[in-house]
Every structure is written in structure tokens, then in C-alpha cells.
Amino acid sequence: MGACTTRRTPRVVLAVGSLAAGLSLAATAWLWSTLAHLPPLDLAAANARSTVVLDRAGTLLRPFATADGRWRLPLEPDAVYPRFLAMLTAYEDRRFRAHPGVDARALLRAAGQWLAAGRIVSGASTLSMQVARLVEPRGERSLNAKLRQIARAIDLERRLGKDGVLRLYLALAPYGGPVEGLRAASLAYFGREPARLTLAEAALLVALPQAPEGRRPDRFPDAARRARDRVLDIAAARGVVPAAEANAAKAEPVPHGRKPFPMLGPHAAEAALAQEPGRAVHRLTLDARLQARLEPLVAERAAALGPGLSAALLVIDNATGEVRAQVGSAGYLDATRSGAIDMTGALRSPGSALKPFVYAMAFESGLAHPETLIEDRPSRFGASYAPENFDLTFQGTVTARRALQLSLNVPAVELMERVGPARFIARLRASGAGIVLPKDAAPGLPVALGGLGITLADLARLYAGLARGGEVPGLRRRLDVPAEAAVLPRIAEPVAAWYVADTLRGTPPPESALPNRIAYKTGTSYGYRDAWAVGFDRRTTVAVWLGRPDGAGVPGLVGRIAAAPLLFDAFARLGGDPEPVPRPRDALVATTSTLPPPLRSLRRDGGPADRLRIAYPPDGARIDLGVEGGTPAGLALKAHGGTLPLTWLVGGLPVTESDRRQAEWQPDGAGFVRISVLDATGASDSVMVRIE
């Protein structure tokens, strides 16, 4: 019986081979007929990808699911771990680069085995055929469906080429549940990009698409391990990886759960999506590494301060106005802290955080110098306004520098009265800050102490302006949108801005922090609702806010105690040593005793009849001085009222002193200048003119 079987075997094999050849010819004829009549394939659905938000270097900040709830992230083959691609082709399609979409040798082998055994022994599906099935899914499993799949695979290779087909596979391969494509799977199961996979991780991701639900490591880790190890064995047998490395990779555990997708800068990502909902890839100015260092820091500090508190932080590149980090809350998913609310854009009371700009306007107007003596004593302004300091004490006679460093209230209100609240608010608004006054009230002296609403973003911009010599930058949040060349009025003249920056650099730091590192100011709003700290050096501005999003007070929430330590810790995470703002060449560095007499102390103005005012040039004038010998002619300066002698200042610097009410100043070129005059009592007036 055994001998008879042996004699018949060659005839059976010959018959099977002949039948396979005949079927192959018939299939080939059908294939060419099908190709000729194949309907066009709309790849729009296959090319649909998750919207992604990237940082300035292209690092993924946050992906968004597709409209049908799938995670399908864009990926180029050159951004994949090379061994993954080698194992994929060795395991799934060894002749991928050689065949036209269908591997005829594998197909004939599979057909012969099927006919000989009466069942499917091995498959012949190429990567191109798998992609054809993914882009044009069909429910039936028949010979006709398989032949149509073959035709579509050849069609795809003709249209897209090998790299295009591979790109589709990397995007569409199923990995269990809503996870599709290699990049989404790599992030979901390993929390890393496909270029950083280990050998074991890559092998698992090669194996999963064959049975994505049955091998899901978060549900069936043993099946996932067996499938991974089989890929490693085949890769070693076919020379893709050394056997020793394959065996070592088998010792790695498989993941038992899915990891969350990246969610860095979630508020910035959502804002970008809302701004341009049709864009598939959003490129922001954020730095993902810095963002990843600051988000946990903010959450940790808010949690330590108590329940219900949130916090926000903004980092700005002073040179460009680019937002390098934006932490909108103490935890985007923390509902107990209203984490979904972006507090960098919320209107809040700044407390004392706006005092530096009062001083800047006083310095540029010639009202004071950082070494001017000013009184911090009980004072009444108007009929009933009598401000007190935070600690309910008074310091007596101090310099303006010390008054700002200690955030004394009476000196700030005194300077605000001289500057003028309406003029102060107009300057802030002209510089791009969205200032909101209570119930649209007229500006009053309390605005010096925070009696208005401003956002953290606007406050950060204003401080960045101090670092830039008074030029307030527009915030740039996107790299995929051209920067706007907005020209805004200065928040301060260069010398005045440096006076403030130099003063704030000497502000006593919080406990355990080094002094004279950054220029900074804190603020605490009425009722302990908001704690602020804003600091800057030459390169960077960092702004911090803490409080309850619902506006409720938090006893003990003080800017210096709660916000300043967070500010200094954030600066430490920037890397590098802070650099001071460079001093302008014409800044006046002096002691109180060496200042011009009108600048040595701040005293009350005289009565209305004797009030000092500039008669010429008028405020806002455009003056064409002409040219005499290559230099502009002198500009006449005239004043009314006041007590002689008069000191004239340009840009905050004394230029001439006169025993008369008129003088002459020689401009050194065209441009905007602020001209101020002080009398012997310290009274002052100023105008802004343009020299042409």
C-alpha cells in the first residue's frame, strides 16, 4: 500500500501543478480585464489623519482624534526605527521592493499548497494587498474578492509607488480599538515616537496588525508576547537581526495597558485649532521640553497651596515676542481646579504689579529719578483716599528705587497723581493691553494699586517691553502664520525702562533664592483673590498668576509668598544664567546728592495759578527744524509758571538748566522725543513731539 502511494505521488504533484498553472493563466487574464475596468479609488478617507499640534521643533504637543473617533497620525517612513521596516518586510512581504503589488511566486506557492492540501497552508498577501484591503474594505472572503484586492494592489503601486504604499500602511494598519497606524500605536503602547522604539517594541508592532483585537497587549498580553517572539524568530532566521539580540529582546515585558496621548500645552493647542479648524498640522512657538518641565511645576505648587486653586504661567522670548511656554491652569483635566479654563487670558486685578509702569512714566517725564527722595507717610489724596501699605507701616523718606522695591503704596499713588491716571491708562491701552476699568468708571488714583482688570498675557507683554527698552512686543504663538509687523507706542522711553529694570533687579528675592538674578515684581489683589509675579532678564520674561478661577478670595494668598517662588523656580528651569538688561549709553547713574536739585526730592506742586506748564513745543507737535551745516537747528523751549530755576530734560535726562523760562536744546537727529521741565519745587510738565 505504501509502495503504491509512492508511485502515484509524482502524478498527483504534476496534476496539481498543471491545474495551478491553468488557474494562474485564467487569473492573469481576469486580472488584466479587472485592471482595465477598475473604478477610480477615492483616497480622501484613507488620507484622513488626526489633526496634530507641534512645537517649534516639530515635536508632537497634542493630537486630536479624527471625526470618526480614530487616532491616525501622520508619519513618514524616514521617521521610523529602521529595524521596524526591515522586520516588517521580512515578516510580511520579503519581496516588497521587487514585485508590482502582487508576489506571483508566493501566490503560486500558496495556490499549489491549497490545491494539494485542500486547505490554506500559507498566505500570499503582500503589503500592497493589505493596503488595498484597508483602503477598500470588503466584507466577503472569496476568490473574486481576493482577485479584486490583487488588482487594486497593482493599481495602488502604479499610482503611489512603493513609498506611497508603505506610507499608507504605516498610517492605516490596525492596532486594536481606535488606534490605527504605527505612530499612534507607538505612542499608545509605549509612549514614544516610532523612531525611538526598541527591537522588542518594534517586533510587537509588526505582529499586531495581523490580529489587532486578539493580540492587543492591553487585553491579551500572552498572545501579544507569543506573536512578538515569532516575529523576532523569523527576523533572526532571515538575517535581519542577530539571534543573540532577538533572544535578548524576548526578555522584555510587553505593555499591559495603553498610555495617554501627549497633551502638552492643551490650552494653546485648542486655541490654535479654534483659530484654524481646517488646518491638519499646527506649528506653535512653544518649546515642548520647556513646557514639559513647567506644567508639573505649576500643578505641584497649586496643589500645595490648597484645594480649588489654579495657576498660570507664560514664558516669552523678549527679542521675538514668541510664547515659549504657556501653562493655562494647574491641570487641564483637573475639574476641581477648573483646569479647562485658560487663566493666561482671564481678566484679573493685578494688585501692585502695574506699579513699575507708573514709575517708568514718572522717570521719563522728569518727575523723578530712581535716587529721588520720596515720602512714605500717611497721606490723603482728595477728600477721602488715604492709601496704606500692605503691612500697615510707613517707611518715612526713601528713594524712589527703594519705594518700588518695597512696593510702597503712598509713593506709587503720589507719582500716579503727577502722571495722571487717564494718561497712564491711555499709555497702557496704546501699548496693546486690554485694560478694563470697574463698571467703565473714569480712571482714578487706585489704578496705581491694581484697581483695574488685565490678563496675564498682556501683563507679560508689558514687562517684556521693559526688557526691550520700552518697545512692547506683540505675542507670537504660531510659526505657521507669518509674524505681524505691528508697531505700537512705547510703554516707556529707553532710559526710563532701564531705570525700572535696574531697580527691579534689586528687589529682595523670596527665601532660598539668589539676589540680583532677575528683575521682578509681585502683586496681590484686594481680598487675596490673585497672586502675581512677573520677572525678566535681557532674553526672557516669565509671568505667573495664582488664585481661584471663580474669583473667590484665598486667605494668605500673597504674591511674594505664593507666586514669587514659582517664578524663580520657573526661571531656573529655563537653563543658563540670567542676563541683565543692558544700560543705555545716556542713562544718568547718580546718587541723590549729585542729582540736579529739582530731581533730588519729590514735593507737592504749587497752586493752580503758578502751575508749571510747557508753552512750547506743544504736546504732539511735528517740528521740522531744517538743516544748518548738516545738523538740525536748535529747538526753542518755553515754559509758564513754576519756580525758577527750571531744569529741562529730554528722554528723562537733564539737557539744560536756566534761570529764565525759556531755553534752547540741540537735537541730535529726527524721531520722537519726550521733553520735560522741572522747577525748583519739583513741579513738572512734559510733552511728546516728533522732530523731523
Side-chain angles (χ1 to χ4, degrees):
M1 188 69 174
C4 180
T5 302
T6 302
R7 286 194 299 271
R8 292 177 57 189
T9 298
R11 290 197 296 272
V12 171
V13 172
L14 183 59
V16 169
S18 299
L19 181 58
L23 289 174
S24 177
L25 290 173
T28 301
W30 182 94
L31 177 62
W32 289 113
S33 174
T34 301
L35 277 172
H37 299 89
L38 199 63
L41 178 64
D42 183 5
L43 290 175
N47 287 325
R49 302 286 184 271
S50 294
T51 298
V52 293
V53 182
L54 311 178
D55 85 332
R56 59 186 306 102
T59 301
L60 181 65
L61 291 170
R62 184 181 179 185
F64 291 84
T66 61
D68 57 356
R70 299 178 183 275
W71 296 98
R72 186 190 289 173
L73 307 184
L75 178 66
E76 293 296 324
D78 58 5
V80 177
Y81 177 50
R83 280 184 164 180
F84 171 88
L85 297 176
M87 285 192 293
L88 175 66
T89 52
Y91 185 71
E92 293 279 11
D93 190 353
R94 297 177 66 184
R95 286 180 285 275
F96 173 68
R97 291 291 175 181
H99 62 65
V102 57
D103 187 343
R105 291 166 56 186
L107 197 63
L108 288 173
R109 183 197 68 241
Q113 291 172 340
W114 172 49
L115 291 170
R119 59 183 177 85
I120 296 176
V121 176
S122 65
S125 181
T126 63
L127 286 176
S128 306
M129 291 168 63
Q130 293 179 46
V131 170
R133 185 174 66 250
L134 292 171
V135 300
E136 195 176 42
R138 291 181 175 274
E140 73 273 16
R141 298 176 63 86
S142 64
L143 180 60
N144 186 62
K146 179 62 70 173
L147 291 174
R148 184 179 179 89
Q149 186 184 112
I150 292 171
R152 183 58 75 187
I154 295 172
D155 175 53
L156 285 172
E157 290 225 0
R158 285 178 172 178
R159 294 172 59 182
L160 305 177
K162 292 292 184 182
D163 289 340
V165 169
L166 183 59
R167 191 176 290 110
L168 276 178
Y169 180 85
L170 295 176
L172 302 178
Y175 284 92
V179 179
E180 294 185 355
L182 176 65
R183 190 179 185 190
S186 182
L187 291 168
Y189 292 121
F190 304 111
R192 68 178 90 238
E193 292 283 359
R196 299 174 54 231
L197 291 169
T198 66
L199 181 62
E201 292 167 350
L204 177 60
L205 296 182
V206 167
L208 289 186
Q210 284 194 339
E213 295 302 328
R215 296 176 178 175
R216 282 180 59 170
D218 56 333
R219 294 184 179 178
F220 308 105
D222 291 337
R225 178 187 293 276
R226 289 192 297 270
R228 179 201 67 182
D229 291 352
R230 175 170 170 75
V231 171
L232 289 169
D233 288 338
I234 292 176
R238 294 177 178 173
V240 174
V241 297
E245 288 189 40
N247 289 330
K250 291 180 183 180
E252 286 191 25
V254 298
H256 284 64
R258 273 179 48 186
K259 298 180 180 296
F261 286 103
M263 193 180 284
L264 289 172
H267 299 95
E270 288 199 343
L273 204 64
Q275 183 181 7
E276 291 196 65
R279 185 187 287 266
V281 179
H282 300 261
R283 191 78 171 269
L284 305 187
T285 60
L286 299 184
D287 181 329
R289 290 181 297 178
L290 180 60
Q291 189 78 24
R293 291 195 292 265
L294 294 178
E295 286 186 6
L297 173 66
V298 170
E300 173 189 325
R301 290 304 174 85
L305 290 171
L309 270 80
S310 190
L313 183 147
L314 209 63
V315 179
I316 299 174
D317 182 289
N318 292 335
T320 63
E322 293 177 351
V323 177
R324 295 299 175 87
Q326 177 182 339
V327 185
S329 69
Y332 179 74
L333 299 177
D334 190 345
T336 65
R337 301 179 189 275
S338 301
I341 300 176
D342 182 4
M343 296 305 298
T344 66
L347 280 170
R348 309 292 292 208
S349 171
S352 297
L354 284 179
K355 285 179 182 175
F357 305 100
V358 179
Y359 281 79
M361 291 185 67
F363 292 156
E364 74 176 21
S365 299
L367 290 167
H369 179 275
E371 303 307 323
T372 298
L373 295 178
I374 189 167
E375 299 297 322
D376 179 43
R377 304 181 187 279
S379 302
R380 187 175 299 277
F381 298 86
S384 59
Y385 187 44
E388 296 178 328
N389 289 321
F390 186 79
D391 60 2
L392 303 180
T393 65
F394 294 92
Q395 300 295 314
T397 303
V398 293
T399 62
R401 179 185 301 275
R402 190 64 175 160
L404 179 54
Q405 290 172 346
L406 296 179
S407 195
L408 302 178
N409 286 341
V410 172
V413 174
E414 179 79 37
L415 291 174
M416 176 61 82
E417 186 179 50
R418 306 293 186 94
V419 167
R423 180 178 160 216
F424 177 72
I425 296 298
R427 177 73 69 87
L428 296 181
R429 285 174 170 165
S431 298
I435 301 298
V436 176
L437 297 173
K439 299 179 181 178
D440 296 323
L445 295 178
V447 300
L449 309 183
L452 50 78
I454 191 172
T455 67
L456 183 69
D458 278 344
L459 192 62
R461 288 178 56 251
L462 295 177
Y463 274 84
L466 294 175
R468 290 162 50 103
E471 294 180 346
V472 178
L475 291 190
R476 189 183 184 200
R477 302 176 185 271
R478 307 182 64 113
L479 287 179
D480 50 22
V481 175
E484 296 182 7
V487 179
L488 299 172
R490 290 177 172 273
I491 191 62
E493 295 299 312
V495 170
W498 181 79
Y499 284 158
V500 172
D502 184 61
T503 297
L504 294 180
R505 192 162 177 260
T507 301
E511 292 184 8
S512 303
L514 295 175
N516 302 312
R517 299 274 291 170
I518 61 173
Y520 87 104
K521 182 72 182 73
T522 61
T524 304
S525 68
Y526 177 77
Y528 303 101
R529 292 180 173 87
D530 310 274
W532 306 75
V534 188
F536 61 93
D537 69 349
R538 182 184 66 83
R539 296 171 298 189
T540 310
T541 295
V542 179
V544 169
W545 169 90
L546 295 103
R548 289 181 60 96
D550 60 9
V554 181
L557 186 69
V558 177
R560 178 171 173 76
I561 297 173
L566 175 55
L567 171 70
F568 274 72
D569 281 348
F571 249 99
R573 282 161 173 74
L574 297 180
D577 292 326
E579 297 182 17
V581 176
R583 184 178 75 189
R585 183 180 57 185
D586 50 357
L588 176 61
V589 179
T591 63
T592 302
S593 61
T594 58
L595 287 173
L599 280 175
R600 292 175 187 172
S601 64
L602 188 72
R603 288 171 286 187
R604 291 279 183 175
D605 289 347
D610 299 324
R611 186 175 182 86
L612 177 67
R613 65 185 188 279
I614 295 177
Y616 186 86
D619 189 34
R622 299 165 65 99
I623 302 171
D624 186 357
L625 296 180
V627 176
E628 294 180 2
T631 60
L635 174 63
L637 308 173
K638 298 180 182 180
H640 291 318
T643 302
L644 298 176
L646 302 181
T647 300
W648 293 88
L649 305 95
V650 176
L653 295 176
V655 294
T656 183
E657 186 172 330
S658 174
D659 290 330
R660 299 185 302 162
R661 288 182 171 78
Q662 61 184 34
E664 185 174 287
W665 166 61
Q666 182 69 51
D668 57 5
F672 286 98
V673 294
R674 180 167 294 280
I675 300 172
S676 306
V677 64
L678 291 88
D679 72 0
T681 70
S684 68
D685 190 24
S686 70
V687 296
M688 176 71 79
V689 299
R690 179 172 180 173
I691 305 297
E692 297 179 341

